[in-house]
Amino acid sequence: MTNQDFNTAVNNVKEAWKYPELFENVSKSERWLSGAAGAYLLFKGITSIFSHPVIGLTGAAIGAGLLYRGITGYCPMRDLAEQRKEDIAPDEVIISETYVVDDLG
């Protein structure tokens, strides 16, 4: 992660704090659950880093992601999934052939 990526992430979090209605895609109950689970996993990951380094770092990383989701109300994975779902749905219909029928009876 470069310094520019870090600054971009920090600016995105600042914008999410200023204008939460533009960035929220997680409901209140999901935010509470994500925040609680993220805080727990972050704490357990940090406390177990020296006894089980891989499991501790993995738990801390997942906990940090859940805590971010709970604090900001924004889930980047959900946003990506919604964008992909919108790409699948056709925006326009292209008619390639037309048939004209003269006989109505």
Side-chain angles (χ1 to χ4, degrees):
M1 179 178 223
T2 64
N3 193 21
Q4 184 178 8
D5 293 337
F6 181 74
N7 288 336
T8 303
V10 169
N11 287 335
N12 288 344
V13 170
K14 287 180 184 178
E15 286 294 316
W17 278 104
K18 286 182 190 175
Y19 309 106
E21 65 278 354
L22 297 178
F23 291 95
E24 282 185 6
N25 63 356
V26 178
S27 67
K28 293 276 188 201
S29 59
E30 284 182 276
R31 287 181 73 175
W32 279 100
L33 288 173
S34 293
Y40 175 75
L41 285 173
L42 184 63
F43 173 74
K44 291 301 278 184
I46 289 173
T47 56
S48 68
I49 270 183
F50 294 110
S51 59
H52 304 287
V54 174
I55 295 172
L57 286 174
T58 304
I62 292 171
L66 285 173
L67 194 57
Y68 170 79
R69 183 178 192 252
I71 290 173
T72 62
Y74 174 72
C75 180
M77 295 305 290
R78 178 175 281 183
D79 193 27
L80 182 65
E82 288 174 359
Q83 288 175 3
R84 295 252 170 117
K85 188 172 26 171
E86 289 174 1
D87 289 343
I88 292 173
D91 291 336
E92 55 190 42
V93 176
I94 299 172
I95 300 173
S96 59
E97 295 181 20
T98 53
Y99 297 100
V100 178
V101 178
D102 291 335
D103 186 23
L104 296 176

